[in-house]
Amino acid sequence: MFETAWQATQQLLPTPQAWLLYLLCAVLIGMSKTGIQNIGTVAVPFFALLFGAKYSTGIVLIMLCMADLTAVIYYRKSLIWSEVLKLLPSALIGLLVGLALGNSVDDQVFKLAMGICILIGVGIMLWSSRQTEESTKELVAKKWYSPLFGFIVGFSTMIGNAAGPALSVYLLTKRMSKLTFVATGAWFIMILNYIKIPLQAFVWQNLSIAGLMINIVAIPFILLGGLIGIKLVQVLKEQHFRWVIMSLVIFSSLMLIIM
């Protein structure tokens, strides 16, 4: 059984170059959970290239769940639970809508949907960067603000594990410190990711033993990325932290559209 599973794993990553790209993406995922949140979005088009758009979401999901544990353990005291609870109800609705859509489209349309999700996040980020602090405060006080972002985050994380851009905009407009930003985002995404496991296992059926095995191989690289992310948060200044996030999201969205 183990030998059969390992053969299936080799079919997923048949060349040294594929393994190298996969493990580099694992480092990026680790970094995204403990430091530069949206750097994980850069890995999305590479995963789609390696495994196919829809199947890649199942492989990446298990990796994300492993990385989530690293983040929430390290940042367990810095999150704001009230923000998580504001987003969660509408995020669950977004998950279900994404689940229904993803189960009825082919891989090319699925990839397009992933790109659109990230582009929407980019657009929101660019729009928010033009708002004054006073207008931003007025906006985030609206009753529809949190539910809207919750839905967008839930839908985009279901379609392509691409919730980072929209969630980053929401958290940035809340004027959080960088530690609170990372902690609150990590806990919220972890909750959604663990909810997605049975949905993808039994509805999309894109979780496999072979995918689990290559995720286990990636654990040391996830941890390495986590350590790098922690150091980057400590080194980067608040303003630089915001600009790094925006730049990475724009870069990753362009990659997904071009590739």
Side-chain angles (χ1 to χ4, degrees), residues 66-95:
M66 294 175 178
D68 285 331
L69 292 176
T70 304
V72 299
I73 289 171
Y74 187 81
Y75 293 114
R76 61 189 179 275
K77 297 180 180 179
S78 301
L79 79 156
I80 301 177
W81 272 114
S82 61
E83 295 297 342
V84 174
L85 296 176
K86 286 178 184 177
L87 292 167
L88 193 56
S90 58
L92 295 178
I93 296 174
L95 280 181

Side-chain angles (χ1 to χ4, degrees), residues 18-245:
W19 273 103
L20 181 62
L21 181 58
Y22 171 74
L23 295 176
L24 174 61
C25 289
V27 173
L28 295 177
I29 292 295
M31 291 173 63
S32 73
K33 292 300 179 180
T34 60
I36 312 303
Q37 190 176 60
N38 285 297
I39 201 169
T41 310
V42 177
V44 170
F46 291 127
F47 281 125
L49 178 67
L50 286 171
F51 307 114
K54 186 173 181 180
Y55 190 74
S56 71
T57 64
I59 293 177
V60 177
L61 177 60
I62 301 302
M63 182 185 291
L64 291 172
C65 288
M66 294 175 178
D68 285 331
L69 292 176
T70 304
V72 299
I73 289 171
Y74 187 81
Y75 293 114
R76 61 189 179 275
K77 297 180 180 179
S78 301
L79 79 156
I80 301 177
W81 272 114
S82 61
E83 295 297 342
V84 174
L85 296 176
K86 286 178 184 177
L87 292 167
L88 193 56
S90 58
L92 295 178
I93 296 174
L95 280 181
L96 295 177
V97 173
L99 181 71
L101 176 63
N103 208 35
S104 60
V105 300
D106 61 28
D107 203 64
Q108 190 59 38
V109 176
F110 195 91
K111 182 180 177 182
L112 179 61
M114 291 169 69
I116 291 173
C117 285
I118 298 178
L119 275 178
I120 290 173
V122 171
I124 295 172
M125 291 187 83
L126 293 175
W127 168 82
S128 67
S129 67
R130 294 175 176 270
Q131 304 304 304
T132 64
E133 186 172 348
E134 188 63 33
S135 63
T136 300
K137 286 181 180 179
E138 293 178 2
L139 184 64
V140 300
K142 302 291 186 183
K143 291 183 178 180
W144 52 263
Y145 189 76
S146 295
L148 174 63
F149 272 90
F151 179 85
I152 293 172
V153 169
F155 180 82
S156 57
T157 193
M158 192 72 223
I159 286 295
N161 297 308
L167 181 59
S168 293
V169 170
Y170 179 83
L171 297 178
L172 285 174
T173 56
K174 291 290 182 171
R175 304 294 175 179
M176 298 177 178
S177 69
K178 58 186 179 183
L179 289 180
T180 304
F181 175 99
V182 174
T184 304
W187 275 92
F188 179 61
I189 290 298
M190 185 190 75
I191 293 170
L192 294 185
N193 282 339
Y194 278 87
I195 290 173
K196 284 159 54 182
I197 290 177
L199 298 179
Q200 294 199 235
F202 298 111
V203 181
W204 284 359
Q205 298 180 348
N206 63 347
L207 301 183
S208 66
I209 297 297
L212 177 61
M213 289 183 69
I214 62 173
N215 278 310
I216 291 173
V217 172
I219 288 176
F221 297 88
I222 295 172
L223 295 175
L224 173 61
L227 292 174
I228 295 172
I230 290 170
K231 293 297 182 183
L232 284 175
V233 168
Q234 294 172 347
V235 171
L236 284 175
K237 296 180 180 179
E238 293 281 353
Q239 186 60 36
H240 294 162
F241 180 74
R242 292 169 183 266
W243 280 110
V244 167
I245 288 173

